[in-house]
Amino acid sequence: MFEATGFQALPGYILERIALYVSNRESTFAMTIYDPSYCDDKPVKAYLPLMAVNRTLRVIAASLFYRFASMEIGMSKRSHSRRYVMPSILTLEDVAKIGAQDYVKQIRLEVDAYVLEDGLYKDAGYIEDEIIPLIEKFSKFTSANTFYLTHNADSDFMYESKRRWRHVGEHPEDPKSKVLEDVDIAGALDKIKRAVVEAVPRARRVVFLGGNQNMYNPTEHDKKLNRNVLDFMESLVSSLALGHVSLIKTKVSKGLLASLSSSQMALRSITLSHNKGTQQHIEIVRRNWSRLEKLHLDHLTTHAVVRMTWGDGGSGTLVYPRLKHLCINVCSGSRSAIQRQPTTNPFPALTTLICHGQFPFSTSIILTEGAKHIRRLDLDLDADLMEEYGNNLFAERSFEALENVTLGWCVRGSPRVPQSQVLFTKALSIGAKTQVAHLHNLKVDWLDSASLKGLHALATLHSLDMELTSITPVQALMIFNACPQLQRAYISLQDETERRYSEIRMPDEAELTEFQETHKGCKSKLQSLGIYSTGFSRSRRAAEYIVMIANVLPCLKRVCVSSFIRVIPNKYIPDNAFASKLYDAINSALKRKAYKNNTKIHSIDFTIDNCW
């Protein structure tokens, strides 16, 4: 079915999305784009049949299948037992044997210092004769641009070696201990580092995946080997011309801090995730202030974030002149005016501001000044923040460049109706040319045609996302009609009635006709409608109203039911089975007499999907 000339002529990015869709990996692959620290290291077997379709698709599928591989240096036979647990992990040796090295983009580097030491103990030429030639086989991996570095100080992979050498350092009279003291493991690792840098010359991104740094009952020799491996990683980093670094649950030593802060580095992007926000982590960001363009902070405290804007010497504000994208995810802790706040805007070039959780800054200067150049604003508000900033900050058309807006609520649970109304109104009025709006987790029972008047963003909106903000079928059509440019919408649908479960029935033929007549003047240009969830007591009743809505939208081409978050009282629960049940109910609804000769409704593509 893919052999048509038209298919082969499709752009590469379209073919990639097709391959991802067929393999059901769209949402996973999207994570690697959104968060550079996300590690998807398991090749998907669903790509393999696509490689046999034709040459065009073979290249696309191979680039996805072989995207990630592992470089194992000195790994013991015991360490290879992990393949019985995760047999799908590819090694560079596997990839090189079949000549697919050009497709590798990301490499996980693993080192077992115990095995290297064991090899040097038995053969002084072990590194030059066995390890270096092995790495040189990988010299053709010129497309790889990312290293994933991980080190478990006390992992199962090292257990066998540690068990055999547990006496080392404890019994100086043991002849093996004296011999091992002469083994230059640091020098061996330095040789390996130079070989790795030559083998992967284009690496510009490094992701530290942390690991277990706590050793169980270590000897002095264990501590020395652990330090040698960490020094090797720090030296490797200092030898690369990095543009991006991610630190995931990773301690920062003075050596690593120095490497990531040197003038030779050109760090434009930094990700800090699940760290305590120590002074060393903060300093990595501060010392790269002049070059930084993207900053992703995940699970840090408000105080740690604010400290990144402190000037040297305890006064003034540290300004990041090139920072365009700032993402603060799951920020916790209290926001206090007592903490020293920036006195000038620390981010004068910011175009994307995302903050999920507590907004860390008490001063409004970042938003008031940013209103001139922020294009995407994704902000969780709270009562205090709304009161502090008031109507001046979020005044109508106050954000001159805003194109994509999300205003949410950072307090657990949904905001009350007055707060929801403010969030809804502000999101659709603060931008001068908003094209994408996200209205999540709001209560909009008050929504009617009168409340939509004056929301000028509706005139320019192309995409609307209302996840966990339930609206009725009538409200949905009212919103679609009010947005003349709207192409795509994703909604959470709820029933019109509040009658008891036993009294709720399916709409009869007269009701179908009445609904059609009432909304026959619909001029919406909506082409794609996504259904996140439905607050209906029966899936068949929900299906009836989804079909009724689809029938009156003149330009609709696609209806997609998400897999699925089902509404029960005050709670949302993932429920894939309900999505299938709803899809079957939609097919049953389409067989009703009222739609028998309706070519328009039967031309719409009703599907189930995991992402949009």
Side-chain angles (χ1 to χ4, degrees):
M1 62 178 175
F2 290 127
E3 288 295 342
T5 303
F7 171 80
Q8 296 182 1
L10 289 174
Y13 73 94
I14 296 293
L15 293 175
E16 184 175 85
R17 291 303 300 269
I18 292 173
L20 290 167
Y21 179 81
V22 171
S23 61
N24 197 26
R25 300 292 286 184
E26 280 189 294
S27 57
T28 302
F29 187 73
M31 280 295 299
T32 65
I33 299 173
Y34 169 73
D35 183 1
S37 66
Y38 187 81
C39 179
D40 185 22
D41 59 359
K42 301 176 184 61
V44 182
K45 292 182 179 180
Y47 295 137
L48 296 177
L50 298 178
M51 297 183 195
V53 173
N54 57 41
R55 182 177 181 181
T56 303
L57 197 56
R58 179 167 62 252
V59 172
I60 298 297
S63 67
L64 295 171
F65 185 82
Y66 297 109
R67 180 180 295 271
F68 194 101
S70 174
M71 179 186 289
E72 300 172 335
I73 298 176
M75 302 302 286
S76 65
K77 292 182 178 179
R78 180 179 176 83
S79 71
H80 286 286
S81 67
R82 68 191 179 90
R83 289 170 175 267
Y84 294 102
V85 181
M86 296 185 292
S88 60
I89 291 179
L90 291 172
T91 68
L92 291 187
E93 191 172 6
D94 297 331
V95 176
K97 286 180 180 178
I98 59 177
Q101 56 267 23
D102 289 343
Y103 299 114
V104 176
K105 302 295 183 185
Q106 302 168 344
I107 297 175
R108 182 198 291 271
L109 182 60
E110 302 181 67
V111 178
D112 190 331
Y114 290 92
V115 175
L116 291 177
E117 185 182 51
D118 193 11
L120 285 169
Y121 166 72
K122 296 175 181 177
D123 179 5
Y126 173 67
I127 299 298
E128 289 80 1
D129 296 339
E130 295 191 34
I131 300 299
I132 299 300
L134 179 64
I135 297 175
E136 288 176 346
K137 290 181 180 180
F138 307 146
S139 60
K140 295 182 180 180
F141 286 84
T142 55
S143 299
N145 56 23
T146 303
F147 271 122
Y148 285 80
L149 304 180
T150 183
H151 173 55
N152 290 300
D154 205 17
S155 68
D156 290 340
F157 302 158
M158 299 178 180
Y159 172 77
E160 186 67 26
S161 296
K162 287 185 65 178
R163 185 185 65 79
R164 290 188 292 110
W165 296 96
R166 64 183 180 273
H167 62 280
V168 173
E170 295 179 352
H171 303 287
E173 68 278 4
D174 191 314
K176 281 189 177 180
S177 294
K178 295 180 180 180
V179 173
L180 282 180
E181 288 299 322
D182 297 331
V183 172
D184 185 12
I185 191 67
L189 287 172
D190 185 64
K191 294 177 182 177
I192 292 172
K193 180 260 296 184
R194 292 197 298 268
V196 169
V197 172
E198 292 179 5
V200 191
R202 296 185 182 179
R204 297 294 180 266
R205 303 160 64 90
V206 166
V207 179
F208 286 88
L209 294 176
N212 179 19
Q213 301 301 309
N214 299 316
M215 304 181 73
Y216 175 73
N217 194 23
T219 66
E220 289 302 316
H221 190 73
D222 291 332
K223 295 178 182 178
K224 177 184 175 181
L225 279 185
N226 184 52
R227 184 65 258 173
N228 287 149
V229 175
L230 293 176
D231 288 344
F232 160 76
M233 291 184 176
E234 293 171 6
S235 179
L236 175 63
V237 168
S238 65
S239 302
L240 300 172
L242 295 182
H244 171 86
V245 66
S246 289
L247 302 173
I248 318 299
K249 296 182 180 179
T250 302
K251 295 179 181 179
V252 177
S253 65
K254 292 182 180 179
L256 183 59
L257 175 59
S259 296
L260 295 177
S261 307
S262 68
S263 58
Q264 297 178 352
M265 285 289 172
L267 286 182
R268 299 185 304 277
S269 175
I270 295 177
T271 295
L272 300 179
S273 180
H274 290 83
N275 298 300
K276 295 182 179 180
T278 64
Q279 185 61 35
Q280 287 85 351
H281 290 96
I282 293 171
E283 281 301 310
I284 289 176
V285 176
R286 287 168 45 83
R287 294 185 186 184
N288 288 280
W289 62 272
S290 63
R291 299 180 294 266
L292 208 56
E293 297 178 4
K294 295 181 180 181
L295 180 59
H296 187 111
L297 306 174
D298 190 16
H299 285 80
L300 265 68
T301 64
T302 57
H303 185 56
V305 176
V306 172
R307 284 167 61 195
M308 293 176 185
T309 65
W310 290 1
D312 294 330
S315 62
T317 300
L318 180 61
V319 176
Y320 297 78
R322 297 184 179 181
L323 191 71
K324 296 180 180 180
H325 303 273
L326 174 60
C327 178
I328 306 171
N329 190 39
V330 194
C331 187
S332 60
S334 60
R335 181 178 58 252
S336 174
I338 299 176
Q339 298 174 0
R340 181 152 51 89
Q341 298 286 327
T343 54
T344 59
N345 183 15
F347 314 119
L350 203 63
T351 59
T352 299
L353 175 58
I354 300 172
C355 183
H356 297 155
Q358 187 78 276
F359 188 66
F361 301 101
S362 296
T363 175
S364 63
I365 193 169
I366 294 172
L367 291 172
T368 53
E369 293 294 323
K372 302 173 184 177
H373 43 75
I374 291 178
R375 296 180 181 178
R376 180 185 177 188
L377 179 65
D378 185 345
L379 189 62
D380 282 351
L381 300 177
D382 56 66
D384 292 337
L385 194 63
M386 292 174 70
E387 183 176 351
E388 289 172 14
Y389 292 173
N391 291 324
N392 292 332
L393 175 61
F394 296 114
E396 185 175 335
R397 299 178 186 268
S398 57
F399 283 77
E400 302 171 8
L402 193 64
E403 298 175 355
N404 188 320
V405 60
T406 304
L407 294 183
W409 193 246
C410 77
V411 182
R412 289 185 178 180
S414 301
R416 295 185 295 273
V417 171
Q419 296 161 342
S420 291
Q421 189 167 0
V422 171
L423 290 173
F424 186 94
T425 303
K426 295 297 183 183
L428 295 177
S429 62
I430 62 173
K433 50 182 180 180
T434 305
Q435 296 183 16
V436 181
H438 305 257
L439 306 169
H440 292 178
N441 201 25
L442 303 181
K443 297 181 182 298
V444 292
D445 297 342
W446 49 270
L447 187 62
D448 55 25
S449 56
S451 61
L452 293 177
K453 293 181 179 179
L455 301 181
H456 60 269
L458 298 178
T460 58
L461 212 58
H462 287 185
S463 178
L464 177 64
D465 187 312
M466 301 185 70
E467 183 180 8
L468 303 184
T469 298
S470 296
I471 56 177
T472 66
V474 172
Q475 286 177 322
L477 290 173
M478 182 174 58
I479 293 172
F480 300 158
N481 265 322
C483 304
Q485 303 300 322
L486 193 64
Q487 301 289 314
R488 306 197 306 174
Y490 320 111
I491 63 174
S492 302
L493 205 59
Q494 71 177 13
D495 207 341
E496 300 269 6
T497 181
E498 296 183 357
R499 288 179 293 179
R500 292 178 303 180
Y501 180 88
S502 59
E503 296 176 348
I504 297 175
R505 55 178 177 76
M506 299 304 106
D508 57 27
E509 299 294 329
E511 289 175 286
L512 295 181
T513 302
E514 182 183 358
F515 192 90
Q516 180 75 22
E517 287 297 318
T518 302
H519 301 284
K520 66 180 180 180
C522 180
K523 298 180 180 180
S524 171
K525 296 181 180 179
L526 192 72
Q527 295 187 20
S528 179
L529 174 62
I531 308 295
Y532 277 124
S533 57
T534 60
F536 289 77
S537 58
R538 299 178 184 178
S539 57
R540 177 58 189 268
R541 182 172 171 84
E544 291 284 351
Y545 276 97
I546 291 172
V547 173
M548 288 164 66
I549 292 172
N551 193 38
V552 297
L553 293 172
C555 300
L556 192 65
K557 298 179 180 178
R558 180 174 183 256
V559 175
C560 179
V561 178
S562 174
S563 303
F564 204 78
I565 301 175
R566 183 185 180 184
V567 180
I568 63 175
N570 300 319
K571 205 169 184 179
Y572 289 81
I573 298 177
D575 192 347
N576 292 329
F578 186 68
S580 298
K581 188 176 181 180
L582 179 59
Y583 179 74
D584 292 339
I586 289 174
N587 285 328
S588 297
L590 291 171
K591 296 176 182 178
R592 292 189 63 165
K593 184 179 179 180
Y595 306 119
K596 184 176 181 181
N597 299 316
N598 189 329
T599 55
K600 187 266 179 187
I601 193 65
H602 288 289
S603 67
I604 297 174
D605 182 22
F606 291 88
T607 64
I608 296 178
D609 206 348
N610 289 318
C611 73
W612 311 104

